[in-house]
Coordinates of all heavy atoms in Angstrom, one line a residue:
M1 N 138.4 122.1 92.5 CA 138.8 120.8 92.0 C 138.2 119.8 92.9 O 138.4 119.8 94.1 CB 140.3 120.8 91.9 CG 140.8 119.5 91.4 SD 142.6 119.7 91.2 CE 143.1 118.1 90.9
T2 N 137.6 118.8 92.4 CA 137.0 117.7 93.2 C 138.0 116.5 93.3 O 138.8 116.3 92.4 CB 135.7 117.2 92.6 OG1 135.9 116.6 91.3 CG2 134.6 118.3 92.5
K3 N 137.9 115.8 94.4 CA 138.7 114.7 94.6 C 138.2 113.5 93.8 O 137.0 113.2 93.7 CB 138.7 114.3 96.1 CG 139.6 113.3 96.5 CD 139.6 113.1 98.0 CE 140.8 112.3 98.4 NZ 140.7 111.1 98.8
A4 N 139.1 112.8 93.1 CA 138.8 111.7 92.3 C 138.3 110.5 93.2 O 138.8 110.3 94.3 CB 139.9 111.2 91.5
D5 N 137.4 109.7 92.7 CA 137.0 108.5 93.4 C 138.2 107.5 93.5 O 139.0 107.5 92.5 CB 135.8 107.8 92.7 CG 134.5 108.6 92.8 OD1 134.3 109.2 93.9 OD2 133.8 108.6 91.8
P6 N 138.3 106.7 94.5 CA 139.3 105.7 94.6 C 139.2 104.7 93.5 O 138.1 104.4 93.0 CB 139.2 105.1 96.0 CG 137.8 105.3 96.3 CD 137.3 106.6 95.7
T7 N 140.3 104.1 93.1 CA 140.3 103.0 92.1 C 140.1 101.7 92.9 O 140.8 101.6 94.0 CB 141.6 103.0 91.3 OG1 141.7 104.1 90.5 CG2 141.7 101.7 90.5
T8 N 139.3 100.8 92.5 CA 139.1 99.5 93.1 C 140.0 98.5 92.4 O 139.9 98.3 91.2 CB 137.7 99.1 93.1 OG1 136.9 100.1 93.7 CG2 137.5 97.8 93.8
L9 N 141.0 98.0 93.1 CA 141.9 97.0 92.5 C 141.5 95.6 92.9 O 141.5 95.3 94.1 CB 143.3 97.3 93.0 CG 144.5 96.5 92.4 CD1 144.6 96.7 90.9 CD2 145.8 96.9 93.1
F10 N 141.1 94.8 91.9 CA 140.7 93.4 92.2 C 141.9 92.4 92.1 O 142.6 92.5 91.1 CB 139.6 93.0 91.1 CG 138.3 93.7 91.3 CD1 138.0 94.9 90.6 CD2 137.4 93.2 92.2 CE1 136.8 95.5 90.8 CE2 136.2 93.8 92.4 CZ 135.9 95.0 91.7
M11 N 142.0 91.6 93.1 CA 143.0 90.5 93.1 C 142.3 89.2 93.2 O 141.7 88.8 94.2 CB 143.9 90.7 94.4 CG 145.0 89.8 94.5 SD 146.1 89.9 93.1 CE 147.2 88.5 93.3
H12 N 142.5 88.4 92.1 CA 141.8 87.1 92.0 C 142.5 86.0 92.7 O 143.7 86.2 93.1 CB 141.6 86.8 90.5 CG 142.9 86.8 89.7 ND1 143.7 85.7 89.8 CD2 143.4 87.7 88.9 CE1 144.8 85.9 89.0 NE2 144.6 87.1 88.5
G13 N 141.9 84.9 92.9 CA 142.4 83.7 93.5 C 143.3 83.0 92.5 O 143.5 83.3 91.4
A14 N 143.9 81.9 93.0 CA 144.8 81.1 92.2 C 144.2 80.4 91.0 O 144.9 80.3 90.0 CB 145.4 80.0 93.1
W15 N 143.0 80.1 91.0 CA 142.3 79.4 89.9 C 141.5 80.3 89.1 O 140.7 79.8 88.3 CB 141.5 78.2 90.4 CG 142.3 77.3 91.2 CD1 142.3 77.1 92.6 CD2 143.4 76.4 90.8 NE1 143.2 76.2 93.0 CE2 143.9 75.7 91.9 CE3 143.9 76.1 89.5 CZ2 144.9 74.8 91.8 CZ3 144.9 75.2 89.4 CH2 145.4 74.5 90.5
Y16 N 141.6 81.6 89.2 CA 140.8 82.6 88.5 C 141.7 83.5 87.7 O 142.9 83.5 87.8 CB 139.9 83.4 89.5 CG 139.0 82.5 90.2 CD1 139.3 81.9 91.4 CD2 137.7 82.3 89.7 CE1 138.4 81.1 92.1 CE2 136.8 81.5 90.4 CZ 137.2 80.9 91.6 OH 136.3 80.1 92.3
S17 N 141.0 84.3 86.9 CA 141.8 85.3 86.1 C 141.0 86.6 86.2 O 139.9 86.6 86.7 CB 141.8 84.9 84.6 OG 140.6 85.1 84.0
P18 N 141.6 87.7 85.8 CA 140.9 89.0 85.8 C 139.5 88.9 85.1 O 138.6 89.7 85.4 CB 141.8 90.0 85.1 CG 143.2 89.4 85.4 CD 143.0 87.9 85.3
N19 N 139.4 88.1 84.1 CA 138.1 87.9 83.4 C 136.9 87.6 84.3 O 135.8 87.9 84.0 CB 138.2 86.9 82.3 CG 139.2 87.4 81.2 OD1 139.4 88.5 81.0 ND2 139.7 86.4 80.5
H20 N 137.2 86.9 85.4 CA 136.1 86.5 86.3 C 135.5 87.7 87.0 O 134.4 87.6 87.5 CB 136.7 85.5 87.4 CG 136.9 84.1 86.8 ND1 138.1 83.7 86.3 CD2 136.1 83.1 86.6 CE1 138.1 82.5 85.9 NE2 136.8 82.1 86.0
F21 N 136.3 88.8 87.1 CA 135.8 90.0 87.7 C 135.1 90.9 86.8 O 134.6 92.0 87.1 CB 136.9 90.8 88.4 CG 137.4 90.2 89.7 CD1 138.6 89.5 89.8 CD2 136.6 90.3 90.8 CE1 139.0 89.0 91.0 CE2 137.0 89.7 92.0 CZ 138.2 89.1 92.1
Q22 N 135.1 90.6 85.5 CA 134.5 91.5 84.5 C 133.1 92.0 84.7 O 132.8 93.2 84.6 CB 134.6 90.8 83.1 CG 134.4 91.8 81.9 CD 135.5 92.8 81.8 OE1 136.6 92.6 82.2 NE2 135.1 94.0 81.4
P23 N 132.2 91.1 85.1 CA 130.8 91.6 85.4 C 130.7 92.7 86.5 O 130.1 93.7 86.3 CB 130.0 90.3 85.8 CG 130.8 89.2 85.2 CD 132.2 89.6 85.2
I24 N 131.5 92.5 87.6 CA 131.4 93.4 88.7 C 132.2 94.7 88.3 O 131.9 95.8 88.7 CB 131.9 92.9 90.0 CG1 131.4 93.8 91.2 CG2 133.3 92.6 90.1 CD1 131.5 93.2 92.5
M25 N 133.3 94.5 87.5 CA 134.0 95.7 87.1 C 133.2 96.6 86.2 O 133.3 97.8 86.3 CB 135.3 95.2 86.4 CG 136.3 94.6 87.3 SD 137.8 93.9 86.5 CE 138.5 95.3 85.7
L26 N 132.3 96.0 85.4 CA 131.4 96.8 84.5 C 130.4 97.6 85.4 O 130.2 98.7 85.1 CB 130.7 95.9 83.6 CG 131.5 95.3 82.4 CD1 130.7 94.3 81.6 CD2 132.0 96.4 81.5
L27 N 129.9 96.9 86.4 CA 129.0 97.6 87.4 C 129.7 98.8 88.0 O 129.1 99.9 88.1 CB 128.5 96.7 88.4 CG 127.5 95.6 87.9 CD1 127.2 94.6 89.1 CD2 126.2 96.2 87.4
F28 N 130.9 98.6 88.5 CA 131.7 99.7 89.1 C 131.9 100.8 88.1 O 131.7 102.0 88.4 CB 133.0 99.2 89.6 CG 133.0 98.6 91.0 CD1 132.2 97.5 91.3 CD2 133.7 99.2 92.0 CE1 132.2 97.0 92.6 CE2 133.7 98.7 93.3 CZ 132.9 97.6 93.6
G29 N 132.3 100.4 86.9 CA 132.6 101.4 85.8 C 131.3 102.3 85.5 O 131.4 103.5 85.4
H30 N 130.2 101.6 85.4 CA 129.0 102.3 85.1 C 128.6 103.3 86.2 O 127.9 104.3 86.0 CB 127.8 101.3 84.8 CG 128.0 100.6 83.5 ND1 128.1 101.3 82.3 CD2 128.0 99.3 83.2 CE1 128.2 100.4 81.3 NE2 128.2 99.2 81.8
A31 N 129.0 102.9 87.4 CA 128.7 103.8 88.6 C 129.7 104.9 88.7 O 129.6 105.7 89.6 CB 128.6 103.0 89.9
G32 N 130.7 104.9 87.8 CA 131.7 106.0 87.9 C 133.0 105.7 88.7 O 133.8 106.6 88.9
Y33 N 133.2 104.5 89.1 CA 134.3 104.1 89.9 C 135.3 103.3 89.0 O 135.0 102.3 88.4 CB 134.0 103.2 91.1 CG 133.2 104.0 92.1 CD1 131.8 104.0 92.1 CD2 133.8 104.7 93.1 CE1 131.1 104.7 93.0 CE2 133.1 105.4 94.0 CZ 131.7 105.4 94.0 OH 131.0 106.1 94.9
P34 N 136.6 103.8 88.9 CA 137.6 103.1 88.1 C 137.9 101.8 88.7 O 137.9 101.7 89.9 CB 138.8 104.1 88.0 CG 138.6 105.0 89.1 CD 137.1 105.1 89.4
T35 N 138.3 100.8 87.9 CA 138.6 99.5 88.4 C 139.9 99.0 87.7 O 140.3 99.5 86.7 CB 137.5 98.4 88.2 OG1 137.3 98.3 86.9 CG2 136.3 98.8 88.9
D36 N 140.5 98.0 88.3 CA 141.7 97.4 87.7 C 141.8 95.9 88.2 O 141.4 95.6 89.3 CB 142.9 98.1 88.1 CG 144.0 98.0 87.1 OD1 144.2 96.9 86.6 OD2 144.7 99.0 86.8
A37 N 142.3 95.0 87.4 CA 142.6 93.7 87.8 C 143.9 93.2 87.2 O 144.0 92.1 86.7 CB 141.4 92.8 87.3
K38 N 144.9 94.0 87.3 CA 146.2 93.6 86.8 C 147.1 93.1 87.9 O 146.7 93.0 89.0 CB 146.9 94.8 86.1 CG 146.1 95.3 84.9 CD 146.8 96.5 84.3 CE 146.0 97.0 83.1 NZ 146.5 98.2 82.6
D39 N 148.4 92.9 87.6 CA 149.4 92.6 88.6 C 149.3 93.5 89.8 O 149.5 94.7 89.6 CB 150.8 92.6 88.0 CG 151.9 92.6 89.0 OD1 152.0 91.6 89.7 OD2 152.6 93.6 89.1
I40 N 149.0 93.0 90.9 CA 148.7 93.9 92.1 C 149.9 94.7 92.6 O 149.7 95.8 92.9 CB 148.0 93.1 93.2 CG1 147.4 94.0 94.2 CG2 149.0 92.1 93.9 CD1 146.5 93.4 95.3
H41 N 151.0 94.1 92.6 CA 152.2 94.8 93.2 C 152.5 96.0 92.3 O 152.6 97.1 92.8 CB 153.4 93.9 93.3 CG 154.5 94.5 94.0 ND1 155.5 95.2 93.4 CD2 154.8 94.5 95.3 CE1 156.4 95.7 94.2 NE2 156.0 95.3 95.4
G42 N 152.7 95.8 91.0 CA 153.1 96.8 90.1 C 152.0 97.9 89.9 O 152.3 99.1 89.9
E43 N 150.8 97.4 89.9 CA 149.7 98.3 89.7 C 149.4 99.2 90.9 O 149.2 100.4 90.8 CB 148.4 97.5 89.3 CG 147.4 98.4 88.7 CD 147.7 99.0 87.3 OE1 148.7 98.6 86.7 OE2 147.0 99.9 86.9
L44 N 149.5 98.6 92.1 CA 149.3 99.3 93.3 C 150.4 100.4 93.5 O 150.1 101.5 93.8 CB 149.3 98.3 94.5 CG 149.0 98.9 95.9 CD1 147.6 99.6 95.9 CD2 149.1 97.9 97.0
E45 N 151.6 100.0 93.2 CA 152.8 100.9 93.3 C 152.5 102.1 92.3 O 152.7 103.3 92.7 CB 154.1 100.2 93.0 CG 155.3 101.2 93.0 CD 156.6 100.4 92.8 OE1 156.6 99.2 92.4 OE2 157.6 101.1 92.9
M46 N 152.1 101.8 91.1 CA 151.9 102.9 90.1 C 150.8 103.8 90.6 O 150.9 105.0 90.5 CB 151.6 102.2 88.7 CG 151.5 103.2 87.6 SD 149.9 104.1 87.4 CE 148.8 102.8 87.0
L47 N 149.6 103.2 91.0 CA 148.5 104.0 91.3 C 148.7 104.9 92.6 O 148.4 106.1 92.6 CB 147.3 103.1 91.6 CG 146.6 102.5 90.4 CD1 145.6 101.4 90.8 CD2 146.0 103.5 89.5
V48 N 149.4 104.3 93.6 CA 149.6 105.1 94.8 C 150.8 106.0 94.8 O 150.7 107.2 95.1 CB 149.7 104.1 96.0 CG1 150.1 104.8 97.3 CG2 148.4 103.3 96.2
E49 N 151.9 105.5 94.3 CA 153.2 106.2 94.4 C 153.4 107.2 93.2 O 153.9 108.3 93.4 CB 154.4 105.3 94.5 CG 154.3 104.6 95.9 CD 155.5 103.6 96.0 OE1 156.5 103.7 95.3 OE2 155.4 102.8 97.0
Q50 N 153.0 106.8 92.0 CA 153.2 107.6 90.9 C 152.0 108.6 90.6 O 152.2 109.7 90.2 CB 153.5 106.8 89.6 CG 154.8 106.0 89.8 CD 155.0 105.1 88.6 OE1 154.4 105.2 87.5 NE2 155.9 104.1 88.8
V51 N 150.8 108.0 90.7 CA 149.6 108.8 90.4 C 149.0 109.5 91.6 O 148.4 110.5 91.5 CB 148.5 107.9 89.7 CG1 147.3 108.7 89.4 CG2 149.1 107.3 88.4
G52 N 149.3 109.0 92.8 CA 148.8 109.5 94.0 C 147.3 109.2 94.2 O 146.6 109.9 94.9
Q53 N 146.9 108.1 93.6 CA 145.5 107.7 93.6 C 145.2 106.9 94.9 O 146.0 106.1 95.4 CB 145.2 106.8 92.4 CG 143.8 106.3 92.4 CD 142.8 107.3 92.0 OE1 143.0 108.2 91.2 NE2 141.6 107.3 92.6
E54 N 144.0 107.1 95.5 CA 143.6 106.3 96.6 C 143.1 105.0 96.0 O 142.5 105.0 94.9 CB 142.5 106.9 97.4 CG 143.0 108.1 98.3 CD 141.9 108.6 99.2 OE1 140.9 107.9 99.4 OE2 142.1 109.7 99.7
V55 N 143.3 103.8 96.7 CA 143.0 102.5 96.1 C 142.3 101.7 97.1 O 142.7 101.6 98.3 CB 144.3 101.8 95.6 CG1 143.9 100.4 95.1 CG2 145.0 102.6 94.6
V56 N 141.2 101.0 96.7 CA 140.5 100.0 97.5 C 140.9 98.7 96.9 O 140.7 98.5 95.7 CB 139.0 100.2 97.5 CG1 138.3 99.1 98.2 CG2 138.6 101.6 98.1
V57 N 141.4 97.7 97.7 CA 141.8 96.5 97.1 C 140.7 95.4 97.5 O 140.4 95.3 98.7 CB 143.2 96.0 97.6 CG1 143.6 94.7 97.1 CG2 144.2 97.1 97.3
V58 N 140.2 94.7 96.5 CA 139.3 93.6 96.8 C 140.0 92.3 96.4 O 140.4 92.1 95.3 CB 138.0 93.8 95.9 CG1 137.0 92.6 96.1 CG2 137.3 95.1 96.2
T59 N 140.1 91.4 97.4 CA 140.8 90.1 97.1 C 139.8 89.0 97.2 O 138.8 89.0 97.9 CB 141.9 89.9 98.1 OG1 141.4 89.8 99.4 CG2 142.9 91.1 98.0
H60 N 140.2 87.9 96.6 CA 139.4 86.6 96.6 C 140.3 85.5 96.8 O 141.4 85.4 96.1 CB 138.6 86.5 95.3 CG 137.9 85.2 95.2 ND1 138.4 84.1 94.5 CD2 136.7 84.8 95.8 CE1 137.6 83.1 94.6 NE2 136.6 83.5 95.4
S61 N 140.0 84.6 97.7 CA 140.7 83.3 97.9 C 142.2 83.6 98.1 O 142.6 84.4 99.0 CB 140.4 82.4 96.7 OG 140.9 81.1 96.9
Y62 N 143.0 82.9 97.4 CA 144.5 83.0 97.5 C 145.0 84.4 97.3 O 146.0 84.9 97.8 CB 145.2 82.0 96.6 CG 146.7 82.1 96.7 CD1 147.3 81.6 97.9 CD2 147.5 82.7 95.7 CE1 148.7 81.6 98.0 CE2 148.9 82.7 95.9 CZ 149.5 82.2 97.0 OH 150.8 82.3 97.2
G63 N 144.2 85.2 96.5 CA 144.5 86.6 96.2 C 144.6 87.4 97.5 O 145.3 88.4 97.6
G64 N 143.9 86.9 98.6 CA 143.9 87.6 99.9 C 145.3 87.6 100.5 O 145.7 88.5 101.1
M65 N 146.0 86.4 100.4 CA 147.3 86.3 100.9 C 148.3 87.2 100.2 O 149.1 87.9 100.8 CB 147.8 84.8 100.9 CG 147.0 84.0 101.9 SD 147.4 82.2 101.8 CE 149.1 82.1 101.6
V66 N 148.2 87.1 98.9 CA 149.1 87.9 98.0 C 148.8 89.4 98.2 O 149.7 90.2 98.4 CB 149.0 87.5 96.5 CG1 149.8 88.4 95.6 CG2 149.3 86.1 96.4
G67 N 147.5 89.8 98.2 CA 147.1 91.2 98.3 C 147.5 91.7 99.6 O 148.0 92.9 99.7
T68 N 147.3 91.0 100.7 CA 147.6 91.5 102.1 C 149.1 91.7 102.2 O 149.5 92.7 102.8 CB 147.1 90.4 103.1 OG1 145.7 90.3 103.0 CG2 147.5 90.9 104.5
E69 N 149.9 90.8 101.7 CA 151.4 91.0 101.8 C 151.8 92.2 101.0 O 152.6 93.0 101.4 CB 152.1 89.8 101.3 CG 153.6 89.8 101.5 CD 154.0 89.9 102.9 OE1 153.3 89.4 103.8 OE2 155.1 90.5 103.2
T70 N 151.2 92.4 99.8 CA 151.6 93.6 99.0 C 151.1 94.9 99.6 O 151.9 95.8 99.7 CB 150.9 93.5 97.6 OG1 151.3 92.3 97.0 CG2 151.2 94.6 96.7
I71 N 149.9 94.9 100.2 CA 149.4 96.1 100.8 C 150.3 96.4 102.1 O 150.6 97.6 102.4 CB 147.9 95.9 101.2 CG1 147.1 95.8 99.9 CG2 147.5 97.1 102.1 CD1 145.7 95.3 100.1
H72 N 150.7 95.4 102.8 CA 151.4 95.6 104.0 C 152.8 96.3 103.7 O 153.3 97.1 104.5 CB 151.7 94.2 104.7 CG 152.5 94.3 105.9 ND1 152.0 94.9 107.1 CD2 153.8 94.0 106.2 CE1 153.0 94.9 108.0 NE2 154.0 94.3 107.5
E73 N 153.3 96.1 102.5 CA 154.5 96.7 102.1 C 154.4 98.2 101.8 O 155.3 99.0 101.8 CB 155.1 96.1 100.8 CG 155.5 94.6 101.0 CD 155.9 94.0 99.7 OE1 155.9 94.7 98.6 OE2 156.2 92.8 99.7
R74 N 153.1 98.7 101.6 CA 152.9 100.0 101.3 C 152.1 100.7 102.5 O 151.2 100.1 103.1 CB 151.9 100.2 100.1 CG 152.5 99.5 98.9 CD 153.6 100.4 98.3 NE 154.1 99.8 97.1 CZ 155.2 99.1 97.0 NH1 155.9 98.9 98.1 NH2 155.7 98.7 95.8
A75 N 152.5 101.9 102.9 CA 151.8 102.6 103.9 C 150.5 103.1 103.4 O 150.3 103.3 102.2 CB 152.6 103.8 104.4
S76 N 149.5 103.2 104.3 CA 148.2 103.8 103.8 C 148.4 105.3 103.5 O 149.4 105.9 103.8 CB 147.2 103.7 105.0 OG 147.5 104.6 106.0
V77 N 147.5 105.8 102.7 CA 147.5 107.2 102.4 C 147.7 108.1 103.6 O 148.5 109.0 103.6 CB 146.3 107.6 101.6 CG1 146.2 109.1 101.3 CG2 146.2 106.9 100.2
K78 N 146.9 107.8 104.6 CA 146.9 108.6 105.9 C 148.3 108.5 106.5 O 148.9 109.5 106.9 CB 145.9 108.0 106.9 CG 145.9 108.8 108.2 CD 144.8 108.2 109.1 CE 144.8 108.8 110.4 NZ 143.8 108.2 111.3
D79 N 148.9 107.3 106.5 CA 150.3 107.1 107.0 C 151.3 107.9 106.1 O 152.2 108.5 106.7 CB 150.7 105.7 107.1 CG 149.9 104.9 108.1 OD1 149.4 105.6 109.1 OD2 149.8 103.7 108.0
Q80 N 151.1 107.8 104.8 CA 152.1 108.5 103.9 C 152.0 110.0 104.2 O 153.0 110.7 104.2 CB 151.7 108.2 102.5 CG 152.0 106.8 102.1 CD 151.7 106.6 100.6 OE1 151.5 107.5 99.8 NE2 151.6 105.3 100.2
I81 N 150.8 110.6 104.4 CA 150.7 112.0 104.6 C 151.3 112.4 105.9 O 152.1 113.4 106.0 CB 149.2 112.4 104.6 CG1 148.7 112.3 103.1 CG2 149.0 113.8 105.1 CD1 147.2 112.4 103.0
S82 N 151.1 111.6 107.0 CA 151.6 112.0 108.3 C 153.1 111.8 108.4 O 153.7 112.5 109.2 CB 150.9 111.1 109.4 OG 151.2 109.8 109.3
T83 N 153.7 110.9 107.6 CA 155.1 110.7 107.7 C 155.9 111.4 106.5 O 157.1 111.4 106.5 CB 155.5 109.2 107.6 OG1 155.0 108.6 106.4 CG2 154.9 108.5 108.8
G84 N 155.1 111.9 105.6 CA 155.8 112.6 104.5 C 156.3 111.7 103.4 O 157.2 112.1 102.6
V85 N 155.9 110.4 103.4 CA 156.4 109.5 102.4 C 155.8 109.7 101.1 O 154.6 110.0 101.0 CB 156.1 108.0 102.9 CG1 156.5 107.0 101.9 CG2 156.8 107.8 104.2

């Protein structure tokens, strides 16, 4: 069984929408990497805690503040493994 590629979760800035990431999301998809540009908190929780997926978060502008705070609330995969979370 091979390990799945990480999902790239895009977090847009205050004046943007997920549609602004569509061109790059298509490039990632064609290269075989899953992407997402939904509500970061709920989506990150679902991908990491429910699915067990590794996630790379790409933020832009104000999304960096929101994304950083959300990520800070979640332990990294390495931390989760070492602590049994």
Side-chain angles (χ1 to χ4, degrees):
M1 182 173 171
T2 61
K3 187 173 192 255
D5 290 326
T7 295
T8 303
L9 184 63
F10 289 94
M11 182 63 190
H12 57 80
W15 303 107
Y16 297 90
S17 75
N19 293 335
H20 289 94
F21 284 109
Q22 195 62 32
I24 196 165
M25 290 171 63
L26 289 172
L27 291 172
F28 273 64
H30 289 303
Y33 292 92
T35 63
D36 205 318
K38 296 180 182 174
D39 166 64
I40 193 169
H41 188 272
E43 198 65 14
L44 186 60
E45 180 177 5
M46 188 278 298
L47 288 169
V48 173
E49 295 180 12
Q50 295 176 17
V51 179
Q53 180 71 39
E54 288 188 16
V55 179
V56 174
V57 179
V58 177
T59 63
H60 174 260
S61 189
Y62 181 72
M65 291 177 38
V66 176
T68 300
E69 186 62 30
T70 300
I71 294 165
H72 180 70
E73 294 173 3
R74 303 284 182 259
S76 70
V77 172
K78 182 179 175 182
D79 292 339
Q80 289 179 14
I81 291 169
S82 68
T83 61
V85 176

